Amino acid sequence: LVHDKLSAAEGIAIIEMGDKLNKFSGVFSIPVLLMHGGGDKITSAPATKAFFGRVAGEVTYKEWEGLWHEMHNEKEKEELFTYTFEWIKTVVR
């Protein structure tokens, strides 16, 4: 979805979940890929990197310098898709 509106309930849910994730630390039992656009002005790349630093397991973090919130809609999307596909091939056994 690409839009510029959200309900009050959605906004509250996002804030509450963000609070939980900012406090979460634990071990993932499955591989996890965290990717963030370094130029994202909607969500926080530093918070995603901090989350990565608090969790354990097979977790990969990739920050895409200069990309924004919707990385899959940017001109570099093919590079992003290739990276994601290659990551999937390394974790699927």
Side-chain angles (χ1 to χ4, degrees):
L1 292 174
V2 177
H3 56 83
D4 62 355
K5 295 176 178 58
L6 90 141
S7 70
E10 285 174 306
I12 290 168
I14 289 169
I15 290 168
E16 289 175 347
M17 184 54 66
D19 245 5
K20 288 180 184 181
L21 289 172
N22 279 335
K23 297 172 187 161
F24 178 83
S25 64
V27 179
F28 285 97
S29 61
I30 60 170
V32 174
L33 175 60
L34 301 170
M35 296 196 301
H36 210 114
D40 189 344
K41 301 292 185 204
I42 296 174
T43 60
S44 170
T48 301
K49 191 169 186 176
F51 178 80
F52 168 70
R54 288 193 310 275
V55 297
E58 195 173 343
V59 182
T60 303
Y61 175 76
K62 170 75 171 160
E63 185 169 320
W64 294 86
E65 192 60 41
L67 298 190
W68 302 94
H69 186 68
E70 294 179 37
M71 299 180 297
H72 60 282
N73 284 331
E74 298 205 39
K75 67 180 179 184
E76 297 87 352
K77 66 183 173 187
E78 289 303 320
E79 183 182 347
L80 183 129
F81 295 150
T82 299
Y83 181 90
T84 304
F85 182 63
E86 292 301 318
W87 178 86
I88 291 169
K89 289 191 318 188
T90 68
V91 299
V92 172
R93 296 163 179 80

